[in-house]
């Protein structure tokens, strides 16, 4: 069997944890399996590197950010290879350049284009455990790129697909995918299985236990994933195409605290205005989520919507630059908000799910500011201060047994 095993930052945070991971991988290797290990940077390394960069230049060139951020993963893989050597097992560490793992050119948010499996296969054939840097790639200019926060999961899935692996295991600091973040909702339950579609929604809507692009890619190449703990042997959660369990009405609750709300006020109430606004944003790759349009004063309209906080500044500037053409009187931005979502494939065929969610929020006195729905999710925008109580109330309404 060829197994890809990915370990996150907390799983390799110090010497003991590194040896723990080394031993778990060696155990698999000694059973006669081929083992490819993908690692994140140790502990809070990536956050620390971001802080260091901000001390020097708050608006640093993204190319240089990637040169810096990619160093974290290189530290982990080399130390892991040293640990395995110490334990008497042949291992080799490789960075994205050495594999190579080609990506698009977009610094800090690159996507995989092509992965060359030859070097890894050759090293495996020589009986080595191969340890690869997560989160990074190389673009057509031979520059280092990174995949966006949490991107190591995507490296693991991409390698599993490229190498046609028999299993792809994501090891982290919780025992699987839960019905809500177990650190916020202590009575959240571990799921045995979850479908790609539901997991993709959960990950996109804030459940950062998996990078959303890793789920997208797993679905595309039909790579079943297992999410489990690096510290216990507990069975994890399987992420795959269709689950045996009958579609749950609601399978999970997610919160995204990185949302910003933008309100544009006093637009002309005539056809084409909304098109012009959102076309402009789309052309600049600004992802808009929850949208609300309302009637303003004197035959005008107001539109508010959410974007990712990282894109808020750029979005406001863009609107300001086009204020006259778009007939905007006023632009406001607010970051003290959060998106709370419920996800479930069973929602499509069930009336009353939204009402039940809103009732849960009403019960705890949480005000809903905006609402968006799709076939398998309902999202509300709430105040950041309300997140904890709202998440627990909504979770318990649907998922507490
Ligand atoms: P790693 O460093 O291993 O990649 P992450 O911090 O990226 O770990 O992801 C694991 C964390 O995701 C958990 O510690 C947990 O707090 C958070 N999380 C959010 N939502 C969920 C969920 N639904 N199920 C499990 N964990 C979740
Ligand atoms: N080290 C990177 C991050 O912290 C990638 C990852 O952990 O997946 O975002
Ligand atoms: Mg992660």
């Amino acid at each position: 069997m060829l197994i890809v095993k990915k370990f996150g930052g907390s799983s390799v945070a110090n010497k003991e944890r590194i040896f723990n991971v080394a031993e778990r991988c060696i155990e698999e290797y000694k059973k006669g399996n081929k083992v490819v290990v993908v690692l994140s940077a140790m502990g809070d390394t990536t956050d620390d590197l971001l802080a260091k960069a901000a001390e020097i230049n708050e608006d640093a060139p993204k190319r240089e950010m990637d040169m810096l951020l990619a160093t974290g993963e290189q530290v982990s893989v080399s130390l892991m290879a040293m640990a395995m050597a110490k334990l008497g097992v042949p291992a080799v560490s490789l960075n994205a350049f050495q594999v190579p793992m080609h990506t698009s050119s977009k610094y800090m948010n690159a996507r995989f284009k092509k992965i060359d499996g030859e070097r890894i296969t050759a090293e495996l054939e020589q009986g080595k455990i191969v340890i690869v840097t997560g989160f990074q790639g190389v673009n057509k200019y031979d520059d280092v790129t990174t995949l966006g926060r949490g991107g190591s999961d995507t490296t693991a899935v991409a390698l599993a697909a490229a190498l046609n692996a028999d299993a792809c295991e994501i090891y982290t600091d919780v025992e699987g995918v839960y019905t809500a973040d177990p650190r916020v909702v202590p009575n959240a339950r571990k799921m045995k299985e979850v479908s790609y579609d539901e997991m993709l929604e959960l990950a996109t809507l804030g459940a950062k236990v998996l990078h959303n692009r890793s789920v997208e890619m797993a679905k595309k190449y039909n790579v079943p994933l297992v999410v489990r703990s690096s510290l216990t042997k507990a069975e994890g959660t399987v992420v795959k195409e269709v689950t045996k369990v009958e579609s749950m009405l609601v399978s999970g609750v997610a919160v995204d605290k990185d949302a910003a709300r933008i309100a544009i006020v006093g637009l002309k109430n005539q056809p084409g205005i909304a098109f012009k606004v959102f076309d402009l944003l789309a052309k600049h790759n600004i992802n808009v989520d929850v949208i609300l349009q309302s009637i303003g004063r004197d035959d005008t309209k107001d539109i508010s919507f959410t974007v990712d906080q990282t894109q808020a500044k750029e979005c406001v500037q863009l609107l300001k630059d086009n204020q006259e053409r778009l007939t905007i009187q006023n632009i406001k931005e607010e970051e003290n908000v959060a998106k709370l979502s419920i996800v479930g494939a069973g929602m499509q065929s069930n009336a009353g799910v939204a009402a039940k969610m809103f009732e849960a929020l009403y019960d705890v006195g949480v005000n809903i500011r905006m609402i968006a729905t799709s076939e398998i999710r309902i999202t509300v925008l709430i105040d950041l201060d309300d997140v904890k109580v709202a998440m627990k109330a909504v979770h318990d309404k649907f998922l507490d047994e």
Side-chain angles (χ1 to χ4, degrees), residues 49-113:
L49 291 171
L50 284 167
K52 274 208 178 81
E55 272 177 35
I56 304 281
N57 181 348
E58 272 188 20
D59 198 20
K62 291 199 162 112
R63 179 194 180 277
E64 304 310 328
M65 289 302 296
D66 278 354
M67 272 304 267
L68 178 69
L69 295 180
T71 60
E73 272 65 17
Q74 204 162 318
V75 171
S76 317
V77 295
S78 51
L79 291 177
M80 185 60 67
M82 293 176 200
M84 290 183 183
K86 179 107 178 170
L87 296 171
V89 172
V92 61
S93 66
L94 298 174
N95 64 18
F97 240 99
Q98 293 168 308
V99 172
M101 303 189 77
H102 300 280
T103 67
S104 61
S105 331
K106 198 157 192 242
Y107 302 106
M108 293 184 84
N109 197 18
R111 282 171 174 264
F112 282 122
K113 290 189 113 164

Side-chain angles (χ1 to χ4, degrees), residues 6-9 39-47 50 69 72-73 134-136 148-155 211:
K6 179 261 171 179
F7 295 86
L39 299 181
S40 295
M42 293 169 71
D44 297 329
T45 302
T46 308
D47 288 329
L50 284 167
L69 295 180
E73 272 65 17
F135 182 52
Q136 57 173 262
R149 296 307 305 269
S152 296
D153 301 327
T154 302
T155 306
H211 193 227

Side-chain angles (χ1 to χ4, degrees), residues 170-235:
I170 310 288
Y171 290 84
T172 182
D173 55 2
V174 287
E175 291 189 343
V177 180
Y178 285 70
T179 49
D181 186 339
R183 295 183 202 288
V184 183
V185 181
N187 56 327
R189 283 181 287 117
K190 186 168 77 185
M191 303 179 199
K192 227 176 141 56
E193 307 178 332
V194 60
S195 68
Y196 289 129
D197 287 338
E198 287 170 300
M199 191 64 235
L200 184 57
E201 289 279 3
L202 284 170
T204 305
L205 296 166
K208 290 184 176 149
V209 59
L210 284 177
H211 193 227
N212 64 349
R213 286 225 294 281
S214 73
V215 185
E216 209 172 74
M217 196 177 286
K219 180 178 156 86
K220 184 166 171 195
Y221 295 101
N222 203 14
V223 178
L225 302 179
V226 180
V227 180
R228 52 186 301 193
S229 162
S230 63
L231 295 169
T232 73
K233 297 265 167 158
E235 241 176 77

